Amino acid sequence: MTVKLSSSNLARLPAKVAGPKYDRSVLKAGIVHFGVGNFHRSHQAVYLDDLFGTGEGHDWALIGAGVFEGEKIGRSKLQEQDWLTTVVEQDQGHMSARVTGAMIDFLTPGDAAAIIERLADPAIKIVSLTITEGGYFIDPASGKFNPAHPDIVADAQPGAVPKTVFGIILAGLLRRRADGIVPFTVMSCDNIPHNGHVTSDGVIGLARLIDEDLAKWVEDKVAFPNGMVDRITPATSDRERKILADDFGLEDNWPVFCEPFKQWVLEDHFTAGRPALEKVGVQFVKDVSPYELMKIRILNGGHATIAYPAGLMDIHFVHEGMQEPLVRAFLSKLEHDEIIPTVPPVPNTDLEEYYQLIERRFSNPKIGDTIRRLCLDGSNRQPKFIIPTIADRLKAGTGVAGLALESALWCRYCFGTTDSGAVIEPNDPSWDRMQATAKAAKGDPKAWLAMEDIYGDVGRSPVFAEAFAHALKALWANGARETLTRYLAGKL
């Protein structure tokens, strides 16, 4: 007999499921969050739930928001259960479930007028974002905001109803300026280098298209703290729903399964106050950059390293990839030879210990993270997680054989078949382009590096071009397994 998740059933949750340790009826909204997906609900929402459980911060509850039609599906699932989410932590020998209640409403995605109205409310002091790497209108090669993107241009037109996150945020700020209300802080929780700066570039860049004085006001008055976020959180499928029902006796439309580990390092820079998240494990620092670079290069670069060889070998789960000796050894060699040496010292952190932690996290057999998820959206992820490391290595005159092989594996994956001949379904917003370019690169490797918006100067490097061409030709001649074997033996 299972219990259906809802507010009315909180008092009779199954014995193995913990519930909120506070009265949800007293919560008041303080944060509007764009992008209510799995990561947000396993990370920011959990930290807030922890804080509310201490008896503090009850005026910092979450309201969900979004701009895409597809987000209405998630909203509907959560609405059926009064905005509650079950979070299941799993690793070897450990599994626990809790119901979190930090969200108290979810505005209809795409309803710009209603969202702007809520952003204008003085009670809202933070607007936070998990809109994925692709949601910031960044030109991949320069890493800068692209003001010529058609959606941004449309939002800048006089009288336009904003359709982008940045357009809606700017409209909310305009209302607050007109009403004499302190601006809210805009807090990115996305996995992007310098995410606060990237977000401010977007909002200020759009403002500049509308009015230079408005842009100057946003620059002077609005806080955009940088932050580093971390928790491996795969997508939810029927598998997770069934585990929750069978093992815990709870029915949840959209549970979140994640690893026990979580981390949040944040600059203490807020215009209108903030919740006391330091009481529940958030690290507030003056400069997030060292933590951010460590995580993006070692963890996210590590994910990219294992993703494409495992994908070409038809491996389904991430932990299964780590059980493949060639994939695990490739990760270790590339990290130690080429990635970790580009990471500067991090306060109170041993980089080798951090790498060992990453290796254990990737090997977690319970998490159910998929290789396909890691392979997703390489056209947005590679320019952030891998190509800057290549650029640093080239600038220092140090070797790039392993990074060139990683890039060649990505190219080979985008061709659209595994080494066994199985078809790889589209797995990138620009899949048609990536596949066409990968097919051209089979005969002419330079075609891949000629993607200026992705590779920039790295693609023009003769040293990298030679290493990449050599690796790609080896992959086509011998397959991923044999190519990795040769690389690990120093014979590639």
Side-chain angles (χ1 to χ4, degrees):
M1 188 72 179
T2 57
V3 174
K4 182 81 177 78
L5 183 59
S6 69
S7 286
S8 59
N9 282 338
L10 281 178
R12 58 188 204 93
L13 288 173
K16 290 197 292 184
V17 181
K21 297 173 182 171
Y22 50 90
D23 179 2
R24 289 182 79 222
S25 68
V26 304
L27 296 181
K28 294 178 182 174
I31 301 172
V32 170
H33 182 82
F34 286 89
V36 182
N38 279 20
F39 180 76
H40 162 71
R41 293 182 301 130
S42 79
H43 193 264
Q44 182 185 356
V46 167
Y47 278 107
L48 286 166
D49 190 73
D50 285 344
L51 181 64
F52 299 166
T54 69
E56 288 200 37
H58 290 175
D59 53 350
W60 289 102
L62 288 156
I63 292 180
V67 296
F68 298 115
E69 191 71 22
E71 292 176 277
K72 290 180 179 177
I73 298 169
R75 180 186 183 274
S76 176
K77 288 178 178 177
L78 293 174
Q79 185 175 28
E80 279 184 32
Q81 53 202 46
D82 305 311
W83 320 118
L84 295 164
T85 289
T86 312
V87 178
V88 180
E89 295 182 1
Q90 286 188 304
D91 65 10
Q92 204 153 13
H94 165 82
M95 187 156 92
S96 63
R98 63 188 278 192
V99 172
T100 62
M103 176 179 284
I104 59 172
D105 196 5
F106 192 157
L107 304 170
T108 303
D111 186 348
I115 299 171
I116 292 164
E117 190 67 34
R118 187 52 73 103
L119 296 185
D121 180 349
I124 300 302
K125 297 180 172 64
I126 294 174
V127 172
S128 54
L129 313 168
T130 46
I131 54 175
T132 77
E133 297 91 345
Y136 287 80
F137 303 97
I138 303 166
D139 172 61
S142 68
K144 295 186 176 174
F145 175 67
N146 176 16
H149 191 286
D151 293 352
I152 293 296
V153 172
D155 271 8
Q157 300 309 304
V161 176
K163 291 189 166 56
T164 69
V165 169
F166 293 157
I168 290 173
I169 286 174
L170 193 58
L173 288 169
L174 266 168
R175 281 279 302 276
R176 291 173 85 108
R177 183 175 73 159
D179 295 345
I181 301 166
V182 175
F184 46 72
T185 295
V186 184
M187 181 177 73
S188 171
C189 300
D190 271 303
N191 194 26
I192 297 176
H194 315 300
N195 57 11
H197 296 320
V198 169
T199 309
S200 69
D201 285 349
V203 177
I204 293 167
L206 174 57
R208 192 163 282 127
L209 296 178
I210 297 168
D211 175 52
E212 190 62 46
D213 287 343
L214 173 61
K216 183 77 169 65
W217 178 82
V218 174
E219 196 170 4
D220 290 346
K221 302 294 185 184
V222 182
F224 296 88
N226 290 302
M228 182 268 260
V229 297
D230 192 7
R231 189 171 219 185
I232 296 173
T233 311
T236 302
S237 68
D238 288 341
R239 170 186 179 269
E240 283 73 34
R241 280 183 279 270
K242 186 173 188 308
I243 290 171
L244 182 62
D246 291 350
D247 292 9
F248 291 95
L250 187 63
E251 288 181 50
D252 184 327
N253 292 321
W254 195 16
V256 175
F257 279 56
C258 56
E259 62 175 340
F261 178 89
K262 67 182 187 298
Q263 188 176 20
W264 194 0
V265 185
L266 193 56
E267 286 175 355
D268 202 353
H269 178 42
F270 293 79
T271 49
R274 63 165 178 82
L277 291 166
E278 69 276 10
K279 295 185 177 180
V280 288
V282 177
Q283 295 168 262
F284 284 96
V285 298
K286 285 186 177 177
D287 184 11
V288 172
S289 301
Y291 301 89
E292 187 178 71
L293 190 68
M294 171 184 73
K295 191 253 176 171
I296 280 170
R297 294 205 172 178
I298 299 176
L299 185 143
N300 297 110
H303 264 158
T305 299
I306 64 176
Y308 299 109
L312 292 172
M313 294 180 192
D314 301 293
I315 296 171
H316 183 72
F317 287 114
V318 175
H319 71 272
E320 293 172 339
M322 291 298 287
Q323 288 166 0
E324 164 55 58
L326 289 172
V327 173
R328 192 182 191 99
F330 179 46
L331 174 68
S332 180
K333 182 171 171 59
L334 181 52
E335 290 272 17
H336 288 106
D337 289 1
E338 297 180 27
I339 295 176
I340 294 173
T342 71
V343 178
V346 179
N348 305 312
T349 305
D350 181 298
L351 292 181
E352 178 56 29
E353 286 180 8
Y354 183 76
Y355 170 73
Q356 295 297 333
L357 171 65
I358 296 304
E359 202 175 62
R360 290 195 299 276
R361 292 169 65 196
F362 287 2
S363 302
N364 184 343
K366 292 285 190 178
I367 201 67
D369 203 4
T370 64
I371 291 296
R372 181 171 172 81
R373 186 186 79 85
L374 301 196
C375 292
L376 172 70
D377 200 11
S379 62
N380 272 305
R381 291 179 174 182
Q382 291 277 316
K384 298 174 183 69
F385 303 152
I386 291 290
I387 293 168
T389 308
I390 300 170
D392 282 358
R393 299 281 298 175
L394 291 170
K395 190 174 179 182
T398 48
V400 290
L403 288 161
L405 175 54
E406 188 281 337
S407 228
L409 286 158
W410 175 42
C411 174
R412 171 65 187 84
Y413 178 89
C414 289
F415 187 87
T417 57
T418 69
D419 280 349
S420 72
V423 173
I424 297 169
E425 295 299 327
N427 201 21
D428 192 290
S430 304
W431 185 257
D432 290 347
R433 175 202 183 194
M434 306 312 290
Q435 188 170 35
T437 309
K439 287 180 176 178
K442 184 178 180 183
D444 178 16
K446 286 183 180 174
W448 187 257
L449 303 184
M451 291 189 291
E452 181 76 20
D453 57 323
I454 290 174
Y455 280 96
D457 288 343
V458 164
R460 290 187 288 273
S461 161
V463 172
F464 186 70
E466 182 181 351
F468 173 82
H470 179 71
L472 186 61
K473 286 173 182 174
L475 285 168
W476 276 115
N478 306 303
R481 191 172 291 278
E482 178 61 26
T483 302
L484 286 183
T485 301
R486 291 186 182 187
Y487 167 75
L488 292 167
K491 295 178 180 176
L492 182 62

